[in-house]
Amino acid sequence: MTLKPWKTLSRSKVLDYGKWLAIESHTIELSSGQIIDDWLWLITPDYVNVVAVAEDNRFILFRQIKYCVDETSLAPVGGYLDPGEDALDAAKRELAEETGYEAADWISLGQYCVDGNRGGGTAHLFLAQGARQVTEPNADDLEDQELLFLTQAEVEQALMAGEFKVLSWAAAMALALRVLAMPQ
């Protein structure tokens, strides 16, 4: 059996909130040939999450509040890409803005669709190692947050306890821990 990708036959904008959110209605053709009208497609900016590890091997994280989470959550560095911005450049910018740190070594943990059937942008995940503070943070984030420095054991325990309440954050942490556990 050969799998074929779905085809977009037409699209029209249903809602447009500028750079933050748009919704389109697509007419799509499935690999079986079936046509589906009014397939909703969500367009949001691509974003980065950075698992940052300082020179002393502690993880640089936040405890913060997000609108979709009813309680505090642990979170890595993250933010949206600017239009036309390279994902690694955005990751470096976000690390500097949110923490005042820069890192010597960067590893891509991959790029992932947020919702395989409805869109929602692409998550670009990174591991930054050897991070050191070079300036004061200069973030314009809307959420309240507290900067934390946790050991790898504390991060592993927090991950398994469900303390990273957003899926991309938990995925970034799990992937980074896997990379760090691999022989060098």
Side-chain angles (χ1 to χ4, degrees), residues 12-43:
S12 62
K13 194 138 313 178
V14 174
L15 178 70
D16 189 348
Y17 274 98
K19 71 177 189 174
W20 299 113
L21 173 68
I23 298 175
E24 293 180 344
S25 176
H26 291 191
T27 299
I28 59 172
E29 180 181 356
L30 304 182
S31 56
S32 66
Q34 179 183 356
I35 305 293
I36 299 179
D37 293 314
D38 296 324
W39 187 269
L40 292 179
W41 188 254
L42 180 65
I43 301 167

Side-chain angles (χ1 to χ4, degrees), residues 36-55:
I36 299 179
D37 293 314
D38 296 324
W39 187 269
L40 292 179
W41 188 254
L42 180 65
I43 301 167
T44 61
D46 292 350
Y47 65 91
V48 296
N49 284 135
V50 180
V51 178
V53 181
E55 291 175 316

Side-chain angles (χ1 to χ4, degrees), residues 11-182:
R11 65 181 69 208
S12 62
K13 194 138 313 178
V14 174
L15 178 70
D16 189 348
Y17 274 98
K19 71 177 189 174
W20 299 113
L21 173 68
I23 298 175
E24 293 180 344
S25 176
H26 291 191
T27 299
I28 59 172
E29 180 181 356
L30 304 182
S31 56
S32 66
Q34 179 183 356
I35 305 293
I36 299 179
D37 293 314
D38 296 324
W39 187 269
L40 292 179
W41 188 254
L42 180 65
I43 301 167
T44 61
D46 292 350
Y47 65 91
V48 296
N49 284 135
V50 180
V51 178
V53 181
E55 291 175 316
D56 65 2
N57 292 321
R58 292 185 302 157
F59 287 67
I60 305 166
L61 299 168
F62 294 102
R63 178 175 289 115
Q64 65 179 218
I65 301 290
K66 283 290 189 187
Y67 185 54
C68 73
V69 179
D70 290 335
E71 55 194 295
T72 61
S73 176
L74 292 180
V77 168
Y80 292 117
L81 276 70
D82 291 332
E85 186 177 26
D86 175 76
L88 179 57
D89 291 339
K92 290 177 179 180
R93 175 181 52 76
E94 288 291 338
L95 180 62
E97 287 176 1
E98 292 187 1
T99 68
Y101 279 68
E102 64 181 26
D105 299 311
W106 289 83
I107 297 172
S108 172
L109 300 172
Q111 61 183 32
Y112 303 91
C113 297
V114 172
D115 183 331
N117 282 328
R118 299 290 176 198
T122 299
H124 301 266
L125 310 180
F126 292 93
L127 170 61
Q129 297 180 86
R132 63 184 179 85
Q133 190 168 16
V134 295
T135 188
E136 291 299 315
N138 185 21
D140 62 353
D141 294 332
L142 299 176
E143 62 268 354
D144 292 327
Q145 58 189 18
E146 172 189 9
L147 188 62
L148 303 174
F149 297 88
L150 301 180
T151 66
Q152 184 166 335
E154 291 169 327
V155 169
E156 290 170 355
Q157 182 179 10
L159 181 63
M160 295 310 296
E163 293 182 41
F164 293 90
K165 305 288 184 189
V166 175
L167 181 58
S168 67
W169 299 348
M173 300 310 298
L175 288 165
L177 289 169
R178 178 70 181 115
V179 167
L180 291 169
M182 293 171 33

